[in-house]
Amino acid sequence: MVAASGLHDRAMRGVVGTDRMGRGGAMTHGTIRLENAAATMGGQPVWQHVSGSFSPGSMTAIAGANGTGKSTLLRVIMGELPLALGTITRGGLGPRDFGYLPQARIIDRNFPISVTDMVLGGAWRQTGAFGGADRTVRLRAATALRRVNLEGQAERMISALSAGQFQRLLFARLLMTDAQVIVLDEPFTALDAPTTQDLLALVCEWHAQGRTIIAVLHDIHQIRTCFPDIVLLHAGQATWGRTPDILTPVTLQRAYGGARDPWPETGMQA
Amino acid sequence: MSILSTLWDPFASFGFMRRALVASVTLGMGAGPVGVMLQLRRMSLIGDAMSHAILPGAAIGFLLAGGLSLTAMGLGGIVAGLGVALLAGLVSRRTQLAEDASFASFYLTSLALGVLIVSARGSNIDLLHVLFGTILGIDAPALYLMGGITTLTIALLSIIWRPLVMECVDPGFMRMTGGQGGLYHMAFLFLVVINLVAGFEALGTLMSVGMMMVPAATARLWTRRLLPMMALSALTGMVAGLIGLLVSYHFRLAAGPSIILTCSVLYVLSLVTSPTGLRAARS
């Protein structure tokens, strides 16, 4: 794990860099900036005229109804999907600086690998032939499993884990990547309250270490209490800013529909 | 006749039986692990499609060499197989068609083209050789090619092991973290193609995939761990090669089909007796 102070130092240093798409220019190291961006899927526009930035060490939720392009925005941020229009700069961040937690439902949980092997997958760049991991990497894997309360499960097959345990495992794999920017796609969906609390505490810990957190979330109450910044997607547009300013009854009604604020300050999950 | 002589004599007496044994053991060793990954990636039918796809390349090699030349046909097969894999991948990315649908279209075209080329210039016997192989006619250069391909397969699998496994379990994670999952996918398809080409001379385009898929299905019934599964798949293919050749020798049956049918018998036995087979389904 990179020390928080080191990350802050790196984050605060302004550098001249070239982003992953090869564009150069002066930029703040670690700032991901979209300018007048538009994305398409299968030739159809998903969102457009999107401008905003994720500063180093920020903690931003991406919210919006189903089909508004939240996962598309994650793909654009990580450089997996090129923009149809506009520009994105990543402040010198490369693929190794990003850690990603996919939606659990798109993972093949019947694949015959153990919990340890799945966690070591997060360090695939450091492992050798036949996935051999040295003592340091194995120690890191054991620490990661302990951190998410999966000690004692290391030799179980991933198919034998419950939904909550599996999500903890994905967080352990994310710990192995030791990334500067943590991108989470629906990290708490279908989890019970204790698991959600544990994993949310881990996310807050990463934030406290100075890492940038970007998460697609559906729980408006969770966003209000834990995520200072938000990108709210609706009708092909993005409203980007401080959470208390953006999440008003009016914007929520517009984004999710309904006759009144469906998520009052003490509200429930979307 | 003692049991020992039943097992020993065919190989002690005939060089072609020894070469066939080395060929089937070598093929089993390389194709077994590849078959396991192919099944776990839910690409069993794509393996079948690829085995047909190499036919026109082999046929063009056959034409250019003026006969059954393993080098020319093998190289042609590799080019055709990889060509179909690339085209199918490209079409599935650029259109609404899923990869298996693209494969089905290309391999059927490829198969028809291959049969057309061989039948236009060769005899029916040549066509039979291409489709069903001649494991008892394996020569030293063919054995070198098989040995080389099996060595390359195990070496490449060991190098790309972790990212390849991650790409199977969670392709989104690899793609998003700059893992270039497509590269590992293509490297894996390359292994599929070269193993099918290795099996081509011995078992023909139609049956070489059998040495890949049936032992893999057998191994999956006995273990849930990946490395033992691959080792067991390889062992099953090698043992089936030995038993198949002995059955073929003593009962005067065609060698290639005897080997594949032995694989099938081992599969059915496993289905009945293994803890995760039919017994588990009943309980």
Side-chain angles (χ1 to χ4, degrees):
Chain A
M1 183 94 45
V2 178
S5 59
L7 270 169
H8 276 303
D9 289 348
R10 273 194 283 161
M12 295 304 158
R13 228 174 19 239
V15 295
V16 175
T18 304
D19 82 317
R20 284 163 71 191
M21 292 170 176
R23 300 181 190 98
M27 58 191 75
T28 308
H29 187 69
T31 298
I32 302 161
R33 193 185 308 279
L34 286 96
E35 282 174 34
N36 203 21
T40 56
M41 288 289 283
Q44 299 296 313
V46 181
W47 37 252
Q48 56 189 338
H49 307 305
V50 173
S51 295
S53 62
F54 303 92
S55 52
S58 60
M59 188 160 173
T60 311
I62 297 174
N66 291 333
T68 48
K70 299 184 292 295
S71 296
T72 304
L73 180 54
L74 293 189
R75 291 177 64 193
V76 165
I77 290 166
M78 298 191 73
E80 202 264 322
L81 183 73
L83 283 173
L85 281 172
T87 58
I88 177 165
T89 54
R90 296 181 187 81
L93 296 170
R96 285 162 195 260
D97 296 313
F98 286 88
Y100 174 64
L101 186 126
Q103 293 178 28
R105 64 183 166 80
I106 61 171
I107 299 172
D108 181 4
R109 287 181 57 183
N110 288 318
F111 200 91
I113 62 167
S114 67
V115 166
T116 297
D117 278 329
M118 187 74 175
V119 175
L120 287 173
W124 65 270
R125 292 180 201 275
Q126 287 107 53
T127 52
F130 279 115
D134 62 22
R135 203 176 124 75
T136 319
V137 175
R138 288 199 174 271
L139 271 176
R140 279 180 56 214
T143 309
L145 284 176
R146 210 165 32 246
R147 178 63 191 81
V148 298
N149 296 331
L150 280 183
E151 65 268 43
Q153 311 281 342
E155 293 312 311
R156 289 182 79 187
M157 305 304 284
I158 59 169
S159 55
L161 299 182
S162 68
Q165 286 173 323
F166 189 71
Q167 197 67 1
R168 287 173 187 273
L169 172 59
L170 293 183
F171 269 79
R173 184 178 64 173
L174 197 50
L175 273 166
M176 293 295 285
T177 60
D178 192 23
Q180 190 178 343
V181 181
I182 310 274
V183 179
L184 311 163
D185 197 352
E186 301 190 17
F188 311 120
T189 301
L191 297 182
D192 59 22
T195 309
T196 303
Q197 284 310 313
D198 282 357
L199 297 179
L200 190 57
L202 186 55
V203 174
C204 293
E205 194 178 305
W206 284 329
H207 179 229
Q209 289 167 351
R211 298 173 202 266
T212 308
I213 312 287
I214 303 168
V216 168
L217 292 172
H218 286 294
D219 188 333
I220 300 296
H221 179 63
Q222 209 168 54
I223 296 171
R224 277 185 170 135
T225 50
C226 304
F227 285 76
D229 297 300
I230 188 169
V231 181
L232 184 63
L233 292 165
H234 168 62
Q237 306 287 322
T239 318
W240 198 317
R242 304 294 291 173
T243 303
D245 303 334
I246 302 295
L247 283 191
T248 62
V250 174
T251 56
L252 280 170
Q253 276 176 22
R254 201 182 299 145
Y256 291 98
R260 58 185 178 81
D261 180 0
W263 300 280
E265 294 294 327
T266 55
M268 302 297 289
Q269 187 162 321
Chain B
M1 194 190 290
S2 70
I3 291 177
L4 195 66
S5 66
T6 306
L7 298 175
W8 184 255
D9 280 357
F11 304 110
S13 309
F14 298 103
F16 68 86
M17 284 295 284
R18 285 196 294 277
R19 284 192 292 276
L21 181 64
V22 173
S24 49
V25 165
T26 311
L27 286 177
M29 206 183 293
V34 172
V36 167
M37 286 304 273
L38 208 51
Q39 289 198 356
L40 291 174
R41 293 170 74 97
R42 299 191 173 91
M43 288 171 63
S44 302
L45 289 176
I46 286 180
D48 199 30
M50 291 290 266
S51 73
H52 294 69
I54 63 178
L55 190 59
I60 290 167
F62 169 84
L63 276 187
L64 291 178
L68 289 164
S69 155
L70 182 67
T71 315
M73 292 168 74
L75 282 174
I78 289 175
V79 171
L82 290 179
V84 166
L86 280 172
L87 276 174
L90 196 71
V91 168
S92 68
R93 276 174 188 78
R94 297 281 168 92
T95 67
Q96 301 289 325
L97 287 178
E99 195 170 30
D100 61 339
S102 317
F103 259 107
S105 314
F106 281 111
Y107 97 77
L108 286 167
T109 310
S110 210
L111 179 65
L113 195 62
V115 173
L116 195 76
I117 294 169
V118 178
S119 58
R121 293 298 180 91
S123 66
N124 282 341
I125 293 172
D126 292 328
L127 188 59
L128 276 178
H129 281 166
V130 170
L131 291 177
F132 301 109
T134 47
I135 192 162
L136 298 181
I138 293 290
D139 55 8
L143 283 183
Y144 298 148
L145 181 80
M146 288 176 193
I149 285 176
T150 297
T151 308
L152 180 65
T153 301
I154 293 171
L156 194 57
L157 268 181
S158 84
I159 293 166
I160 65 171
W161 177 260
R162 186 79 63 188
L164 181 65
V165 166
M166 264 303 110
E167 217 272 317
C168 292
V169 185
D170 188 357
F173 176 78
M174 285 300 288
R175 212 172 45 235
M176 296 285 263
T177 52
Q180 298 181 3
L183 192 70
Y184 297 107
H185 183 66
M186 282 316 296
F188 176 67
L189 284 180
F190 171 72
L191 288 182
V192 174
V193 170
I194 62 171
N195 274 279
L196 289 171
V197 167
F200 169 85
E201 172 89 349
L203 299 165
T205 56
L206 294 186
M207 285 195 303
S208 60
V209 73
M211 202 65 162
M212 200 174 270
M213 306 314 300
V214 189
T218 307
R220 288 187 67 191
L221 289 166
W222 288 103
T223 175
R224 298 184 69 185
R225 299 214 165 243
L226 191 51
L227 265 179
M229 197 182 282
M230 287 182 159
L232 188 59
S233 174
L235 187 68
T236 307
M238 287 150 67
V239 169
L242 172 68
I243 298 175
L245 283 173
L246 286 170
V247 168
S248 126
Y249 179 86
H250 290 296
F251 295 95
R252 297 176 182 280
L253 297 169
S258 296
I259 292 173
I260 301 301
L261 281 173
T262 307
C263 290
S264 307
V265 169
L266 293 175
Y267 171 67
V268 173
L269 283 176
S270 302
L271 212 52
V272 176
T273 58
S274 74
T276 57
L278 294 173
R279 272 197 309 165
R282 265 204 311 270
S283 58

